[in-house]
Amino acid sequence: MVTKVPETDTMMGFLESLPAVLYEYVLYDDGSSEFLYVSPQSHDILGYPQEHFLLDMNNFWNLVHPGDLQRLKDEDVSTHERNDNFFIADVRIDHPLKGEVWIRISSKSTDRQKNSAFIWCGYMIDITDRKKQEADLERLNKKLAVLSNVDGLTGSLNRRTFDDVVKKEWKRALRDGSELSLIIVDIDYFKAYNDNYGHLAGDDCLKLVANTLSKTVKRAADTFARYGGEEFVILLPNTSLVDAIKLAEKCRESILNLNMPHEHSEVHSMLTISLGVSTILPDSDFDIRTFIEAADTCLYQAKANGRNQVVSINKL
């Protein structure tokens, strides 16, 4: 004789074999609540047997991290229409054996009632590993964002980042009616340095120059970046031409004071730089390209004048 297992028992056995805590609870009009059912998986996922929670629903709330508990309280589950919306929340709990773990709570109202209150059903699953993966991914994304903004050799901001920053600062200066200054820096006779001392020495030279200039540019609002090859740029928001020239001279002196030999330079026995400076009060008659080209023109004039000097253009 074959005994047929009731379908409800089979279904319950299947549900309770899932890696989730199944539950039913009722939320009364006075704000109190109680579990009507909690599956055996609570012992592994929550750290306590089902009876612990059936005895008092507060035994569950006491496990929830205070910050997450407040968030749950702020989210009124009663605002979710019955039979239409799921209430889903990720919270941390204090597991007695595993320490802090993340669980996802998902619940949905039913048509069943206890007294005048509707019964809710749902499940809880452990998402700790998922949260760790998300945190790892976020850290990697942040690192990738930093790497994509930085020049690989010198550690300075790269050309692409400078292009983004100058657009933002241009709009800000246009809105505020403030001056914007730019310094373009070029290492004098760098090709001769590279050819005679070798590419590794040339790389070290670029890194030293970048490090020295970045330390000279001290304001948080200023932007120092590698523009390409042996060229660097310094963007100075809300800065007059006079102040930009002063900073450019400090930069020139800081490199000369390194006393870094450059026997193949035609201007000095030590490493030097040339700098071009432009300042603009942005308006509709000018654009960013004009602003940058003005500083670039000054740089080439500094080279034509004998290098190791600062050349500026009157305010555009």
Side-chain angles (χ1 to χ4, degrees):
M1 180 177 179
V2 177
T3 302
K4 185 177 181 181
V5 178
E7 290 185 6
T8 54
D9 292 344
T10 302
M11 179 58 71
M12 184 59 69
F14 168 71
L15 292 175
E16 293 191 347
S17 68
L18 296 175
V21 179
L22 306 177
Y23 64 88
E24 286 186 347
Y25 77 99
V26 60
L27 181 62
Y28 296 109
D29 293 337
D30 63 1
S32 62
S33 58
E34 67 170 329
F35 279 122
L36 302 179
Y37 172 76
V38 178
S39 67
Q41 286 91 331
S42 67
H43 193 282
D44 178 52
I45 294 177
L46 302 178
Y48 295 92
Q50 57 198 133
E51 294 81 11
H52 180 70
F53 303 106
L54 291 170
L55 180 64
D56 187 349
M57 194 169 181
N58 285 325
N59 288 334
F60 170 72
W61 299 124
N62 291 336
L63 294 179
V64 179
H65 187 281
D68 296 338
L69 182 60
Q70 185 60 48
R71 179 161 50 84
L72 286 176
K73 290 180 178 179
D74 292 341
E75 179 70 58
D76 184 2
V77 297
S78 65
T79 61
H80 294 258
E81 297 179 10
R82 292 188 306 104
N83 299 322
D84 290 329
N85 296 336
F86 276 93
F87 172 78
I88 299 176
D90 294 345
V91 300
R92 292 160 291 176
I93 66 165
D94 184 16
H95 194 289
L97 298 178
K98 302 176 183 178
E100 184 178 277
V101 299
W102 280 91
I103 62 169
R104 172 160 295 171
I105 303 172
S106 180
S107 59
K108 194 178 193 306
S109 64
T110 71
D111 286 328
R112 294 179 289 115
Q113 291 179 270
K114 181 176 180 181
N115 300 327
S116 61
F118 284 97
I119 296 173
W120 290 65
C121 66
Y123 63 85
M124 304 179 206
I125 57 174
D126 188 328
I127 59 169
T128 304
D129 289 342
R130 186 185 309 177
K131 284 292 184 179
K132 288 180 180 178
Q133 290 173 352
E134 290 174 356
D136 290 341
L137 183 60
E138 184 177 357
R139 283 193 292 270
L140 287 173
N141 284 336
K142 287 181 179 179
K143 186 174 183 180
L144 180 61
V146 170
L147 291 175
S148 67
N149 292 334
V150 172
D151 173 61
L153 176 64
T154 65
S156 309
L157 295 179
N158 58 26
R159 170 71 176 271
R160 183 177 63 181
T161 304
F162 168 76
D163 290 340
D164 291 339
V165 172
V166 73
K167 290 176 185 176
K168 294 177 182 177
E169 292 299 341
W170 181 274
K171 290 179 180 178
R172 190 199 306 273
L174 189 62
R175 182 184 67 244
D176 297 343
S178 59
E179 292 178 307
L180 189 63
S181 293
L182 177 68
I183 303 172
I184 300 183
V185 183
D186 184 82
I187 301 176
D188 294 330
Y189 295 106
F190 181 72
K191 186 178 185 302
Y193 189 97
N194 227 11
D195 291 343
N196 288 278
Y197 294 109
H199 291 291
L200 290 179
D203 288 348
D204 289 340
C205 174
L206 287 171
K207 287 187 281 188
L208 180 59
V209 169
N211 183 58
T212 303
L213 293 177
S214 65
K215 289 180 179 178
T216 307
V217 181
K218 296 181 178 180
R219 294 192 317 177
D222 300 337
T223 299
F224 173 76
R226 185 180 181 188
Y227 200 56
E230 66 271 25
E231 286 190 344
F232 300 89
V233 286
I234 305 169
L235 184 65
L236 307 167
N238 197 27
T239 302
S240 67
L241 180 62
V242 171
D243 288 336
I245 292 172
K246 288 180 180 179
L247 178 62
E249 282 291 350
K250 286 183 181 179
C251 289
R252 187 189 66 80
E253 291 171 3
S254 69
I255 299 303
L256 188 59
N257 290 339
L258 290 174
N259 293 319
M260 190 173 181
H262 188 353
E263 299 173 0
H264 306 279
S265 170
E266 297 179 20
V267 62
H268 202 287
S269 61
M270 299 296 170
L271 189 74
T272 60
I273 57 175
S274 297
L275 308 94
V277 184
S278 68
T279 297
I280 193 170
L281 190 63
D283 60 39
S284 57
D285 293 333
F286 297 99
D287 57 22
I288 296 175
R289 183 173 180 178
T290 302
F291 173 54
I292 296 175
E293 286 180 347
D296 200 42
T297 298
C298 290
L299 172 63
Y300 278 94
Q301 188 61 52
K303 291 181 179 181
N305 291 351
R307 310 195 188 215
N308 185 30
Q309 60 186 275
V310 176
V311 171
S312 62
I313 191 169
N314 290 330
K315 191 164 50 181
L316 296 175

